[in-house]
Amino acid sequence: MKKHPLAVAFGVCALIVAVFAAGLFFVRHRGNTAFFEGKVGVVPIYGLIEYSRPVNEILTKYRRDKTIKAVVLRVESGGGGVAASQEIYREVARLNKVKPVVGSMGGVAASGGYYVIAPSRKILAMPGTLTGSIGVIINIPDAEELFKKIGLKVQTVRSGDLKGAGLPSAPLTDAQRQMLQELIDETHQQFVADVARSRRMNFAKVSEIANGGVFTGQKAKVLGLVDHMGDFQDAVALAAKLGGIKGRPQLVWPSDEKKSWLDWLLRDQVRTLVRTIVHEVTSQLGGSGLQYRYVPPKITP
């Protein structure tokens, strides 16, 4: 039977459209686990560590995605809240048991920023990276004299002598100071224990360097807190190697289908800036709580 030219033309067009649609579907769903192998997931932690949920959701997603063979944890943070840092620490440790996690330090990965990266299988830093600062801090302003000058009197009714410790309207009593010091010491010991466990170091050895001091990446390597010198690309290459990926890996960033990574990054940075400003204001009023935090001075070469 002789085929009609018009029917043939329609058939060819339909085939082209089908191929194009399949290609478009493939590109739009490039993050779908059914299409790609050999992926390295990237988890960025920038700025103040205040909430663990956004980071832990990404870590959990990567842990369950079988096509992601390894993860790079990119940290650019001076730390933040104790509980938030501990929650991220646990999720990183949980992920590292399933697939290799490589920690990549930026300019600063100190205090809580070091806490969250400690469970990584390998940690990379630049020689000039600021890290360490293994310690705990709480800011408690004493505004009693200021209140007197402006004629403001604060009356506090409480159930016990230790209730309301740290209110700016009155200085700490000896009992209150002792209670807060015990809290700081306890959370500090938790920090030291987790670092020693993750880095497979002696608890006493970590305690010696866990005095709140800050180290360069090069010094941290000598102390055993860092494994290698290297940048983000070095961390990706190492993660791919540990994950058994041959050739150049595909990086997976935590962005949704409708927004690009740049949109996600800018949105996250704005949120971090707002949270940091709010945090600084509240910390001056004594409402910041215990923190694994280091605020670096401005250092220029």
Side-chain angles (χ1 to χ4, degrees), residues 209-250:
I209 61 177
N211 57 5
V214 184
F215 314 113
T216 63
Q218 190 169 358
K219 178 67 174 180
K221 182 177 181 297
V222 174
L223 295 174
L225 299 177
V226 168
D227 295 296
H228 307 290
M229 295 292 98
D231 58 15
F232 176 74
Q233 295 301 328
D234 295 321
V236 170
L238 179 57
K241 180 180 179 180
L242 295 176
I245 299 174
K246 297 181 179 180
R248 186 177 180 181
Q250 178 192 353

Side-chain angles (χ1 to χ4, degrees), residues 105-108 125-131 214-219 229 299:
M105 294 182 173
V108 178
M126 296 302 293
T129 296
L130 295 181
T131 187
V214 184
F215 314 113
T216 63
Q218 190 169 358
K219 178 67 174 180
M229 295 292 98
I299 300 177

Side-chain angles (χ1 to χ4, degrees), residues 136 163 230:
V136 189
K163 189 66 176 178

Side-chain angles (χ1 to χ4, degrees), residues 145-183:
E145 294 300 322
L146 175 62
F147 287 171
K148 288 181 180 179
K149 289 182 179 180
I150 63 177
L152 177 62
K153 183 179 292 186
V154 178
Q155 301 181 72
T156 304
V157 180
R158 53 192 175 189
S159 58
D161 293 338
L162 298 180
K163 189 66 176 178
L167 291 175
S169 56
L172 291 171
T173 65
D174 291 340
Q176 290 173 340
R177 184 176 295 277
Q178 180 180 353
M179 178 194 70
L180 292 175
Q181 188 62 57
E182 289 174 355
L183 285 175

Side-chain angles (χ1 to χ4, degrees), residues 247-266:
R248 186 177 180 181
Q250 178 192 353
L251 295 184
V252 179
W253 295 84
S255 57
D256 55 39
E257 294 182 356
K258 295 182 179 180
K259 290 187 177 293
S260 67
W261 161 243
L262 180 59
D263 293 332
W264 188 92
L265 177 60
L266 291 175

Side-chain angles (χ1 to χ4, degrees), residues 4-301:
H4 195 282
L6 186 59
V8 173
F10 273 121
V12 173
C13 290
L15 180 61
I16 294 175
V17 171
V19 172
F20 178 78
L24 181 62
F25 179 84
F26 183 80
V27 171
R28 285 177 59 84
H29 294 78
R30 61 186 180 277
N32 192 296
T33 59
F35 290 103
F36 285 99
E37 295 290 337
K39 299 177 184 177
V40 171
V42 181
V43 183
I45 300 180
Y46 299 147
L48 181 66
I49 299 174
E50 188 176 7
Y51 304 109
S52 62
R53 180 179 174 182
V55 174
N56 282 354
E57 286 180 347
I58 300 169
L59 291 169
T60 301
K61 178 181 178 181
Y62 288 173
R63 175 165 52 86
R64 295 172 178 171
D65 189 338
K66 294 182 179 180
T67 66
I68 292 181
K69 305 302 182 182
V71 173
V72 172
L73 187 68
R74 176 66 174 182
V75 177
E76 184 74 68
S77 171
V82 167
S85 300
Q86 290 178 335
E87 287 183 335
I88 296 175
Y89 168 94
R90 291 197 174 194
E91 197 57 48
V92 172
R94 187 176 291 114
L95 171 61
N96 195 47
K97 291 180 180 179
V98 178
K99 56 192 69 175
V101 177
V102 174
S104 173
M105 294 182 173
V108 178
S111 202
Y114 182 76
Y115 202 127
V116 300
I117 207 173
S120 303
R121 195 163 304 183
K122 295 294 181 180
I123 299 177
L124 279 69
M126 296 302 293
T129 296
L130 295 181
T131 187
S133 187
I134 301 175
V136 189
I137 190 171
I138 183 171
N139 295 315
I140 303 176
D142 183 356
E144 183 181 26
E145 294 300 322
L146 175 62
F147 287 171
K148 288 181 180 179
K149 289 182 179 180
I150 63 177
L152 177 62
K153 183 179 292 186
V154 178
Q155 301 181 72
T156 304
V157 180
R158 53 192 175 189
S159 58
D161 293 338
L162 298 180
K163 189 66 176 178
L167 291 175
S169 56
L172 291 171
T173 65
D174 291 340
Q176 290 173 340
R177 184 176 295 277
Q178 180 180 353
M179 178 194 70
L180 292 175
Q181 188 62 57
E182 289 174 355
L183 285 175
I184 289 177
D185 292 342
E186 181 180 351
T187 50
H188 180 249
Q189 291 299 299
Q190 294 169 5
F191 196 163
V192 173
D194 284 339
V195 170
R197 183 183 304 109
S198 298
R199 298 297 299 168
R200 298 181 180 179
M201 296 172 64
N202 182 273
F203 182 89
K205 182 178 180 180
V206 178
S207 295
E208 291 179 1
I209 61 177
N211 57 5
V214 184
F215 314 113
T216 63
Q218 190 169 358
K219 178 67 174 180
K221 182 177 181 297
V222 174
L223 295 174
L225 299 177
V226 168
D227 295 296
H228 307 290
M229 295 292 98
D231 58 15
F232 176 74
Q233 295 301 328
D234 295 321
V236 170
L238 179 57
K241 180 180 179 180
L242 295 176
I245 299 174
K246 297 181 179 180
R248 186 177 180 181
Q250 178 192 353
L251 295 184
V252 179
W253 295 84
S255 57
D256 55 39
E257 294 182 356
K258 295 182 179 180
K259 290 187 177 293
S260 67
W261 161 243
L262 180 59
D263 293 332
W264 188 92
L265 177 60
L266 291 175
R267 181 179 59 189
D268 184 69
Q269 290 301 302
V270 170
R271 287 178 179 174
T272 299
L273 177 61
V274 173
R275 288 173 182 170
T276 301
I277 294 174
V278 172
H279 184 274
E280 292 297 336
V281 173
T282 56
S283 67
Q284 296 305 313
L285 298 177
S288 58
L290 294 174
Q291 300 176 53
Y292 295 138
R293 193 176 181 205
Y294 167 69
V295 180
K298 298 296 183 181
I299 300 177
T300 55

